[in-house]
């Protein structure tokens, strides 16, 4: 692999014309010296074998035709020297020495031509690699760079001459997503590894890349080198971050809009426990003002005051969490508790729309990983839509059904939350557009609630779907995956 890296990785593959001329002169002088030594030296040995040095020297600096010409010249000089010395009498020893020399020159020439073909092929392959915009480089088993593509030079800033021979991790200051030992173990086991890395360019800037490693083994199956192909993800990552920021802002706006629609419910939720506190406080004073204070009744009144005060505090806390602009926090959640807390926020709306609740909770559903506030936002939006859809239905028929259940299918374990209404439903031709941004079936609707709800659920690894009921109305089903480490 070192030979391959040297053949394709170094800048010296393009020899300067001046150096070519110098090497031609050196080869000529060496050939002349060997001819003189072979012709005029009294030493009785195959001195002409030294012409292989001339052939090997020329192989690095001349093309195929030039090498054949030089090889033919060396054979010609060998024969010329033989006839000058042994022209009158041929003995077997001299003939054998001449034949061995010519054979050595011929074999060396053939091997050099074969090596040139292999080198040219590698150069062509390297030239093809340089056509790609991806950064490609080859590292040996010591993590030393042996090949550095044009794409790598453009991405990182180091030239081929500057990069080849350097330790890759040290040069690029690589930040790995996992322990390097773990990555290398996977590479040795499978021959491949893929993941995101962070590198440092020559100018000091950071770049995020999708890196793909391929392991090359020698003829004995031992690791020989690793080819690393890196695609720049920096701009895409910035775009994703910008999109995430925009989505977060839009979600926050929708959340505030939802709070505006719940103003009456908020006042009701806060006033009710506060009024109960005042009532119980007055009752406590009356029990204490008696000629014989009734401590038991007074204590019960104080306990009810504390309970209602906590309820008011909980309402405020939930509303502040709903209004707070913060990053999602995925924690283990009991979906039944999430639904129950959501319903407490909707008590006023349920009473105003004269909606009857039909709850069917599976009390043994496993926990899911999610953000409590975001999931409550989705359920509030689905419930409000369901209540508003039933405004045209006679009061006796206004029923809001909420079902929770565990589910197991080919995708794995999940928890399903269904929100059902008995409204007029949605026309079949409008169902595919239901979750599109800015599409609404309500005259004054913004068309963002369901779109954002879908984004939130998909960010949790789940999905949301809508389907008409057989008896009228719609069912919106939210499917949330159960973490693999959650016990069955």
């Amino acid at each position: 692999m070192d030979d391959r890296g040297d053949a394709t990785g170094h800048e010296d593959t393009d020899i300067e014309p001046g150096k070519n001329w110098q090497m031609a002169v050196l080869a000529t002088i060496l050939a002349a010296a060997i001819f003189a030594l072979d012709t005029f030296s009294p030493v009785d040995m195959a001195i002409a074998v030294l012409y292989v040095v001339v052939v090997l020297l020329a192989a690095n600096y001349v093309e195929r035709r030039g090498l054949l010409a030089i090889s033919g010249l060396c054979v010609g000089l060998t024969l010329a020297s033989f006839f000058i010395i042994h022209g009158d009498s041929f003995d077997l020893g001299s003939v054998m020495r001449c034949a061995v020399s010519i054979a050595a020159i011929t074999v060396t020439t053939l091997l050099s031509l074969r090596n040139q073909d292999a080198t040219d092929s590698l150069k062509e392959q390297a030239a093809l690699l340089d056509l790609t915009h991806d950064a490609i480089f080859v590292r040996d088993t010591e993590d030393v760079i042996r090949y550095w593509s044009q794409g790598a030079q453009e991405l990182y800033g180091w030239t081929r001459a500057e990069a080849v021979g350097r330790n890759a991790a040290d040069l690029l200051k690589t930040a790995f997503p996992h322990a390097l030992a773990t990555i290398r173990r996977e590479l040795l086991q499978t021959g491949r590894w893929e993941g995101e890395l962070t590198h440092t360019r020559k100018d000091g800037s950071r770049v995020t890349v999708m890196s793909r490693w391929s392991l090359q083994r020698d003829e004995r199956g031992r690791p020989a080198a690793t080819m690393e192909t890196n695609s720049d993800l920096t701009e895409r990552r910035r775009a994703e971050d910008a999109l995430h920021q925009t989505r977060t802002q839009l979600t926050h706006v929708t959340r505030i809009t939802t709070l505006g629609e719940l103003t009456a419910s908020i006042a009701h939720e806060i006033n009710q426990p506060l009024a109960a506190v005042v009532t119980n406080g007055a009752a406590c004073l009356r029990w204490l003002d008696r000629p014989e204070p009734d401590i038991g009744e007074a204590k019960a009144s104080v306990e009810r005051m504390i309970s209602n005060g906590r309820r008011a505090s909980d309402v405020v806390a939930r509303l502040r969490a709903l209004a707070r602009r913060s990053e999602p926090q995925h924690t283990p959640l009991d979906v039944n508790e999430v639904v129950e807390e959501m319903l407490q926020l909707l008590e006023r709306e349920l009473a105003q729309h004269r909606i009857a609740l039909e709850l069917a909770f599976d009390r043994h559903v496993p926990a899911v990983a999610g953000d409590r506030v975001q999931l409550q936002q989705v359920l509030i939006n689905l419930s409000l839509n369901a209540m508003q859809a039933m405004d045209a239905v006679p009061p006796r028929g206004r029923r809001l059904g909420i079902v929770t259940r565990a589910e197991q299918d080919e995708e794995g374990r999940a928890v399903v939350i269904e929100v059902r209404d008995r409204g007029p439903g949605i026309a079949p031709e409008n169902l595919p557009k239901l979750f599109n941004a800015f599409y609404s079936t309500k005259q004054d609707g913004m068309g963002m609630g369901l779109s954002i709800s879908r984004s939130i659920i998909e960010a949790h690894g789940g999905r949301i779907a809508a389907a008409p009921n057989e008896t009228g109305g719609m069912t919106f089903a939210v499917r949330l995956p159960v973490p693999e480490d959650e016990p069955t």
Side-chain angles (χ1 to χ4, degrees):
M1 184 63 206
D2 291 348
D3 292 338
R4 179 177 298 182
D6 294 341
T8 61
H10 293 289
E11 300 270 356
D12 59 7
T13 53
D14 299 326
I15 305 300
E16 298 175 0
K19 194 170 184 179
N20 272 337
W21 179 83
Q22 294 174 0
M23 298 309 300
V25 171
L26 179 61
T28 302
I29 295 173
L30 182 59
I34 294 173
F35 176 77
L37 184 63
D38 187 27
T39 304
F40 304 109
S41 172
V43 179
D44 192 17
M45 59 180 295
I47 296 176
V49 172
L50 296 176
Y51 284 118
V52 301
V53 178
V54 177
V55 174
L56 292 174
L57 188 63
N60 292 321
Y61 304 99
V62 298
E63 299 296 332
R64 184 182 185 87
R65 290 184 178 180
L67 183 61
L68 288 173
I70 291 174
S71 177
L73 175 63
C74 291
V75 171
L77 292 175
T78 301
L79 291 174
S81 179
F82 174 77
F83 284 111
I84 290 173
I85 299 173
H86 305 286
D88 298 331
S89 61
F90 299 117
D91 60 90
L92 182 60
S94 61
V95 172
M96 291 299 297
R97 287 194 295 273
C98 181
V100 168
S101 298
I102 293 174
I105 295 171
T106 303
V107 170
T108 302
T109 300
L110 293 176
L111 292 176
S112 296
L113 289 173
R114 183 177 178 183
N115 184 65
Q116 276 191 348
D117 290 340
T119 301
D120 290 342
S121 177
L122 290 175
K123 287 180 180 179
E124 291 177 0
Q125 295 175 17
L128 290 176
L129 291 178
D130 282 339
L131 295 178
T132 180
H133 295 293
D134 290 339
I136 301 175
F137 57 90
V138 177
R139 302 178 277 109
D140 62 17
T141 55
E142 300 299 324
D143 202 33
V144 175
I145 298 172
R146 295 301 180 188
Y147 169 74
W148 188 259
S149 73
Q150 182 66 28
Q153 178 173 317
E154 293 174 357
L155 178 61
Y156 297 115
W158 282 282
T159 65
R160 187 169 296 171
E162 292 173 327
V164 171
R166 297 280 300 276
N167 182 280
D170 292 342
L171 178 69
L172 301 174
K173 296 181 176 60
T174 307
F176 297 96
H178 313 293
L180 183 56
T182 303
I183 295 175
R184 286 177 173 169
R185 183 163 55 250
E186 180 179 343
L187 181 66
L188 290 174
Q189 291 174 351
T190 65
R192 296 182 180 277
W193 180 82
E194 181 173 331
E196 289 189 13
L197 301 177
T198 302
H199 289 152
T200 302
R201 294 187 177 101
K202 185 177 181 179
D203 61 8
S205 61
R206 304 286 281 175
V207 57
T208 301
V209 298
M210 173 55 70
S211 188
R212 294 173 293 279
W213 297 7
S214 299
L215 181 66
Q216 183 183 27
R217 299 182 182 272
D218 59 19
E219 62 278 2
R220 297 184 181 180
R222 298 175 300 184
T226 301
M227 184 175 75
E228 184 172 331
T229 305
N230 296 328
S231 304
D232 188 2
L233 298 180
T234 306
E235 292 303 322
R236 191 173 81 179
R237 181 56 53 80
R238 288 174 182 169
E240 289 176 352
D241 291 343
L243 179 61
H244 173 73
Q245 183 67 21
T246 302
R247 184 179 297 165
T248 300
Q249 293 174 352
L250 189 56
T251 301
H252 179 66
V253 170
T254 305
R255 191 178 300 162
I256 296 301
T257 303
T258 303
L259 279 176
E261 297 176 359
L262 292 174
T263 301
S265 178
I266 293 171
H268 174 76
E269 285 292 326
I270 297 296
N271 287 334
Q272 189 179 49
L274 291 181
V277 168
V278 174
T279 300
N280 285 299
C284 179
L285 289 177
R286 287 196 302 273
W287 293 118
L288 293 175
D289 286 340
R290 285 191 168 193
E292 273 188 40
D294 193 329
I295 303 300
E297 290 293 344
K299 181 179 178 182
S301 296
V302 172
E303 289 175 349
R304 287 193 293 271
M305 291 169 59
I306 294 173
S307 176
N308 283 284
R310 286 175 176 172
R311 182 185 174 192
S313 177
D314 290 342
V315 170
V316 172
R318 287 198 301 273
L319 294 172
R320 290 183 63 186
L322 191 62
R324 187 182 302 119
R325 180 177 173 182
S326 59
E327 289 296 315
Q329 300 292 329
H330 286 207
T331 57
L333 297 175
D334 183 335
V335 296
N336 293 327
E337 292 181 359
V338 173
V339 174
E340 288 171 350
E341 291 178 2
M342 180 272 299
L343 290 175
Q344 291 180 17
L345 288 172
L346 292 178
E347 282 185 0
R348 177 69 175 179
E349 292 289 333
L350 290 168
Q352 181 178 344
H353 289 272
R354 303 172 67 180
I355 303 292
L357 279 176
E358 294 180 344
L359 305 179
F361 291 169
D362 180 352
R363 295 297 177 181
H364 301 289
V365 292
V368 299
D371 183 274
R372 181 182 298 271
V373 173
Q374 284 196 344
L375 293 181
Q376 284 183 350
Q377 179 187 352
V378 171
L379 295 175
I380 287 174
N381 184 64
L382 295 180
S383 300
L384 285 175
N385 287 346
M387 285 187 275
Q388 292 167 5
M390 291 187 286
D391 282 343
V393 177
R396 288 188 178 182
R398 298 176 188 175
R399 297 184 179 276
L400 176 65
I402 300 181
V403 178
T404 65
R405 69 173 187 275
E407 187 177 271
Q408 174 79 42
D409 55 22
E410 64 277 2
E411 298 181 19
R413 292 194 301 153
V415 174
V416 176
I417 308 171
E418 292 183 350
V419 178
R420 302 171 180 172
D421 66 67
R422 295 190 179 183
I426 297 172
E429 63 271 17
N430 292 332
L431 282 176
K433 301 180 290 184
L434 199 56
F435 293 95
N436 292 348
F438 305 111
Y439 175 79
S440 177
T441 58
K442 296 180 288 187
Q443 291 183 354
D444 57 348
M446 294 176 58
M448 294 303 300
L450 290 179
S451 176
I452 292 178
S453 295
R454 181 176 64 178
S455 298
I456 291 174
I457 298 304
E458 289 179 350
H460 283 72
R463 63 174 185 267
I464 183 172
N469 299 326
E470 293 182 359
T471 57
M474 295 291 297
T475 293
F476 286 81
V478 174
R479 184 185 189 278
L480 298 170
V482 175
E484 295 182 358
D485 56 354
E486 180 69 20
T488 57

